[in-house]
Amino acid sequence: ETGVTQTPRHLVMGMTNKKSLKCEQHLGHNAMYWYKQSAKKPLELMFVYNFKEQTENNSVPSRFSPECPNSSHLFLHLHTLQPEDSALYLCASSPRRAGRGNTIYFGEGSWLTVV
Amino acid sequence: AQSVTQLGSHVSVSEGALVLLRCNYSSSVPPYLFWYVQYPNQGLQLLLKYTSAATLVKGINGFEAEFKKSETSFHLTKPSAHMSDAAEYFCAVSENDYKLSFGAGTTVTVRA
């Protein structure tokens, strides 16, 4: 059981669809993240939110739109995706104490298939 | 900038044998280093982390890692592999108070 819950676990969508991935953390953390994990590629950090404010966007295409309404919830809105966007999308959270060494806690991921 | 390199994308060991996963880092500041494990169809779980205290770090499930500054390494070991250790393992270095840079991962298979 993880303190970071992602839904849905599996999603199949067409290229013209609009869907959303949801993440909720029960750990009292103030930083939340979206990562993309593709086959045979290192984990890619997509977005970082700290106290609901976006602090990092790693040149992610605009067809991915994050939303962080509060420190416990994070969404990833998806529209007009491409087949190459098929991947495992991991949500994570961490405390945001000053100094390095904060542990990042991951959810179980949402498997996305774009057809 | 900080980065890690994991040597070997795939390691196969016999049950009961030593598990050794190699990680070398590059960092312009004293590094904070992590090992994560990902079991099939799951997210990443922290195994252990080094934050400049003891150089030999013990983690969960019998794993440990030793920080060697002279070799810029943080290799992960377990004396005796179990079938349940079959997973993908990621080494990571902390770039700042919120960002980790991950290696490409090493897949471990355990032979009966």
Side-chain angles (χ1 to χ4, degrees):
Chain A
E1 183 177 335
T2 173
V4 180
T5 304
Q6 291 187 241
T7 55
R9 293 294 314 279
H10 298 271
L11 177 63
V12 179
M13 60 185 288
M15 289 189 285
T16 58
N17 290 162
K18 288 184 180 182
K19 297 285 185 183
S20 296
L21 305 180
K22 178 183 175 183
C23 176
E24 182 175 2
Q25 59 97 358
H26 315 276
L27 301 169
H29 293 161
N30 45 41
M32 295 190 76
Y33 313 75
W34 281 116
Y35 282 84
K36 177 182 178 183
Q37 187 176 29
S38 305
K40 301 182 180 179
K41 285 187 177 180
L43 245 63
E44 299 173 52
L45 178 63
M46 299 175 71
F47 302 103
V48 181
Y49 278 81
N50 186 40
F51 288 106
K52 304 187 299 178
E53 298 297 320
Q54 187 180 120
T55 55
E56 186 147 347
N57 175 341
N58 272 348
S59 304
V60 180
S62 59
R63 59 186 182 270
F64 294 91
S65 175
E67 179 191 0
C68 189
N70 55 58
S71 292
S72 298
H73 293 85
L74 184 64
F75 295 88
L76 188 62
H77 303 300
L78 315 167
H79 62 99
T80 59
L81 295 190
Q82 304 299 311
E84 59 265 28
D85 297 322
S86 299
L88 178 65
Y89 289 85
L90 291 164
C91 176
S93 71
S94 74
R96 187 69 185 268
R97 295 183 290 266
R100 295 175 296 129
N102 292 312
T103 298
I104 294 180
Y105 295 82
F106 287 84
E108 295 193 325
S110 293
W111 284 98
L112 173 66
T113 303
V114 181
V115 296
Chain B
Q2 285 74 33
S3 66
V4 293
T5 302
Q6 292 183 241
L7 301 175
S9 60
H10 200 137
V11 169
S12 180
V13 299
S14 298
E15 193 173 18
L18 171 72
V19 180
L20 170 60
L21 304 182
R22 300 177 187 275
C23 174
N24 288 90
Y25 69 89
S26 171
S27 177
S28 56
V29 296
Y32 284 26
L33 295 157
F34 301 74
W35 275 101
Y36 280 84
V37 60
Q38 185 176 30
Y39 298 105
N41 300 315
Q42 294 188 24
L44 278 70
Q45 178 183 0
L46 180 70
L47 271 178
L48 49 83
K49 68 178 181 181
Y50 168 76
T51 57
S52 76
T55 57
L56 183 62
V57 183
K58 293 189 183 298
I60 63 172
N61 301 338
F63 284 92
E64 63 182 35
E66 186 172 10
F67 173 72
K68 291 187 176 181
K69 183 178 179 180
S70 61
E71 299 177 9
T72 62
S73 69
F74 190 57
H75 301 333
L76 181 71
T77 59
K78 181 174 180 177
S80 176
H82 293 166
M83 298 299 290
S84 59
D85 294 326
E88 189 161 19
Y89 293 79
F90 295 91
C91 183
V93 61
S94 177
E95 295 195 16
N96 52 37
D97 63 353
Y98 68 89
K99 188 173 180 180
L100 291 183
S101 179
F102 285 88
T106 299
T107 300
V108 172
T109 56
V110 182
R111 305 185 303 272

